[in-house]
Amino acid sequence: MKVLLRNPRRTVEVSGPATVNVVLDRLDIHRESVIVVRGDELVPGDTMLAADDEIEVRPVISGGALDREVPS
Amino acid sequence: MKCRACREPAVIDIRRHNANFCREHFLRLCRDQVAKAVKEFDMLRPGERVLVAVSGGKDSLALWDLLLELGYEADGLYLGLGIGDYSDESGTYARAFAASRGARLIEVDLREEYGYDVPTGARAARRAPCSACGLSKRHLFDKAAIDGGYDAVATGHNLDDEAAVLFGNVLHWHDEYLARQLPVLAARDGFPRKVKPLVRLGEREMAAYCVLRGIEYQVEECPMAEGNRHLHYKEALNQIEARSPGAKHDFYFGFLARASERFRDGIAEEQGALLSCERCGAPTPSEVCAFCRLVEKAAGAQPVTIGRRGAHR
Ligand code: SF4
Ligand SMILES: [Zn+2]
Ligand SMILES: [Zn+2]
């Protein structure tokens, strides 16, 4: 399956079928630091993804300066 | 994975609450947590007008949406910071959200109105970009809120942000910051009230909220944010949280309930001696405020280019 990663934007290929959690483990990505999106839906960790699925793994940790008045 | 409330399939797990939620119950949880924070810390009263500091990112757009959902009269303020494509894109998300909700978005463009952008102003004033940026934001949000007669400025700081800042402030014992790290700062002469209604929600929840509400937001990081130390604090706290869910919540809310008061003695005297800026009238400890000095230094400076297409076209 195609996995879109962000910051910077790039795509990697992961073999499937596999659950979201397995895909994240294979990419060595911590579950709590991302959300996974397919199309416009949020997919939870136990969802089985097909070999031809396309997903986006979106980081949720914003690193901008926190003395900033407007967080991201 | 089933929803704790209705046993339907869940879309998100929240380890801190040791529970999973379906879309409907998760959105309800977010609204309830904001309503609870607002009430607990007396942030806003019914009928008050709020100005939301909107960056185009997940937190500020989720905050705006939640306040509108809860029935507040909430307008947005977006500042054009001139940070290359990052700013251009962020602005489109803010505008698209406002249009979709029929909400009012006020826009202030730094370059158009004050003759500089963040990268240029930072270099001209020999400040770190985030410092020049933060100074500009504070000044312009305060001004817009006072000029527009708003009762409060709301920012999208979430639990992860507040816990990371607290961690840094404790690590280095910045007691003057600890004294002011509160979810509400009351209005005082010339400054509007500041509120942080998202303090009971984590950043993963805010990203999920946006996806579930169909809110498109700026996912990329600001190119000036690199090497920020708060990111390391967040990573450290997330490791602790992974082993002990709820640790961030306990750290932050424990501080508010049990320790925050002890740091507050110092701030009263520090607040005493404010003048009004000779140029713009803003409250300031010196004759000319830091913002006006930044504008002055940046005037006529060679523009700094940033982003794929550059900041200035
Ligand atoms: S990361 Fe720094 S420069 Fe970028 S928007 Fe945030 S405060 Fe401004
Ligand atoms: Zn449910
Ligand atoms: Zn001034």
Side-chain angles (χ1 to χ4, degrees):
Chain A
M1 71 192 76
K2 262 209 182 96
V3 181
L4 171 66
L5 302 172
R6 309 290 295 252
N7 277 322
R9 190 183 258 275
R10 60 213 189 272
T11 313
V12 296
E13 194 61 45
V14 175
S15 60
T19 65
V20 168
N21 282 338
V22 166
V23 171
L24 293 178
D25 286 347
R26 280 191 199 149
L27 293 168
D28 204 17
I29 292 172
H30 193 262
R31 281 166 219 182
E32 292 290 313
S33 62
V34 295
I35 54 168
V36 177
V37 181
R38 182 175 52 190
D40 53 11
E41 65 171 330
L42 189 66
V43 279
D46 58 357
T47 307
M48 186 55 83
L49 299 167
D52 59 353
D53 264 339
E54 289 187 20
I55 59 166
E56 178 189 345
V57 175
R58 229 183 245 191
V60 297
I61 303 180
S62 329
L66 278 169
D67 41 86
R68 64 196 173 165
E69 213 55 7
V70 188
S72 47
Chain B
M1 210 166 94
K2 291 200 178 355
C3 172
R4 170 164 86 184
C6 68
R7 311 310 296 165
E8 292 295 311
V11 293
I12 187 168
D13 57 302
I14 306 180
R15 292 190 61 206
R16 185 170 83 253
H17 295 304
N18 194 18
N20 310 316
F21 298 91
C22 69
R23 178 179 186 277
E24 185 200 324
H25 286 110
F26 173 72
L27 296 178
R28 189 179 297 179
L29 172 106
C30 293
R31 288 194 298 269
D32 289 350
Q33 294 295 333
V34 168
K36 189 171 174 182
V38 166
K39 190 157 177 247
E40 184 176 3
F41 299 107
D42 200 12
M43 293 182 182
L44 304 165
R45 303 262 165 89
E48 286 193 323
R49 293 178 65 233
V50 196
L51 185 62
V52 182
V54 176
S55 71
K58 64 186 192 319
D59 300 300
S60 58
L61 291 178
L63 170 62
W64 196 3
D65 190 54
L66 283 158
L67 289 176
L68 291 170
E69 286 286 297
L70 289 171
Y72 287 97
E73 197 189 315
D75 296 344
L77 173 58
Y78 175 77
L79 295 185
L81 303 170
I83 306 177
D85 296 347
Y86 170 79
S87 289
D88 297 345
E89 268 167 37
S90 301
T92 59
Y93 294 121
R95 278 171 222 123
F97 176 84
S100 74
R101 299 296 191 272
R104 176 162 183 245
L105 179 69
I106 304 167
E107 291 197 51
V108 176
D109 188 85
L110 279 187
R111 184 151 280 285
E112 271 168 35
E113 297 185 34
Y114 296 94
Y116 73 99
D117 51 52
V118 164
T120 307
R123 178 177 297 174
R126 294 166 186 270
R127 277 174 174 264
C130 294
S131 150
C133 185
L135 165 63
S136 309
K137 286 171 178 170
R138 276 190 297 279
H139 180 90
L140 294 169
F141 281 115
D142 288 354
K143 176 173 156 50
I146 299 285
D147 291 354
Y150 291 92
D151 297 292
V153 172
T155 56
H157 296 89
N158 58 45
L159 175 60
D160 292 80
D161 294 329
E162 292 302 300
V165 171
L166 176 60
F167 189 71
N169 287 342
V170 168
L171 203 57
H172 300 291
W173 293 112
H174 289 308
D175 28 0
E176 70 289 14
Y177 293 150
L178 287 166
R180 295 177 56 76
Q181 195 184 346
L182 296 165
V184 183
L185 287 176
R188 58 186 176 97
D189 38 6
F191 291 114
R193 187 191 324 152
K194 310 271 178 68
V195 302
K196 299 172 180 172
L198 298 185
V199 289
R200 301 187 61 88
L201 292 161
E203 56 192 345
R204 183 161 167 270
E205 286 129 66
M206 295 297 73
Y209 181 89
C210 286
V211 172
L212 292 169
R213 290 280 293 162
I215 300 171
E216 291 201 49
Y217 62 90
Q218 174 64 279
V219 176
E220 303 297 324
E221 281 284 320
C222 170
M224 322 272 355
E226 269 165 34
N228 191 271
R229 65 181 190 287
H230 284 111
L231 200 52
H232 301 304
Y233 298 156
K234 282 187 175 177
E235 281 161 5
L237 286 171
N238 284 345
Q239 286 192 6
I240 297 170
E241 180 85 16
R243 300 214 176 173
S244 132
K248 280 185 278 199
H249 177 99
D250 290 350
F251 179 49
Y252 178 64
F253 285 95
F255 164 75
L256 292 182
R258 310 225 293 273
S260 157
E261 188 75 39
R262 305 177 192 205
F263 294 94
R264 254 174 264 165
D265 289 349
I267 52 177
E269 52 217 68
E270 172 214 324
Q271 286 181 351
L274 287 186
L275 310 163
S276 136
C277 171
E278 272 176 6
R279 300 199 191 145
C280 74
T284 167
S286 50
E287 279 162 20
V288 176
C289 77
F291 177 77
C292 288
R293 279 181 277 141
L294 172 63
V295 172
E296 184 178 27
K297 283 184 192 144
Q302 184 70 26
V304 173
T305 302
I306 180 142
R308 290 185 297 273
R309 295 192 306 263
H312 319 293
R313 273 159 286 141

